[in-house]
Amino acid sequence: MNPAADRPPVDDLPALRRWLIEDPLHAAAFADDLLPPRQVVAEYPQVAGSVGTLANWRSRGDTRLEWLDLPGGIFYRRLAILAFIESRTVRGGKA
């Protein structure tokens, strides 16, 4: 069985959160979803408008978005990107 087959779209955070919680296999399959910087920018332009922004964050040691420095290059876990988006959510109060 492919746990990613029934995965909701990544831009539907409430549905995705429910899907991840309902079965540990879902989270395990999703956790290994690694994206190179160009794909992060393409899929999540609201996070970083350019590959250069991501490179600047890394060069400054900015930890707002965790990354992996692997032999094949720099990668971001999709779960880390979604956690970053969730951490920026404003609930009540003034924006």
Side-chain angles (χ1 to χ4, degrees):
M1 182 175 154
N2 179 2
D6 62 339
R7 179 173 71 196
V10 294
D11 59 349
D12 185 352
L13 289 178
L16 186 59
R17 187 180 301 112
R18 286 189 303 275
W19 180 80
L20 289 168
I21 291 169
E22 75 184 23
D23 188 333
L25 290 177
H26 291 170
F30 203 64
D32 290 334
D33 202 359
L34 302 178
L35 308 176
R38 287 178 197 240
Q39 191 172 350
V40 172
V41 172
E43 291 188 31
Y44 301 97
Q46 70 277 25
V47 169
S50 72
V51 172
T53 298
L54 294 171
N56 286 338
W57 290 352
R58 291 191 311 270
S59 70
R60 291 192 323 238
D62 192 325
T63 58
R64 73 178 82 191
L65 183 56
E66 297 174 352
W67 72 89
L68 299 158
D69 189 355
L70 300 174
I74 300 295
F75 295 91
Y76 295 85
R77 284 189 175 101
R78 191 179 300 272
L79 280 179
I81 297 164
L82 295 174
F84 171 77
I85 293 170
E86 185 67 22
S87 75
R88 309 293 293 171
T89 302
V90 177
R91 291 179 173 84
K94 297 180 180 178

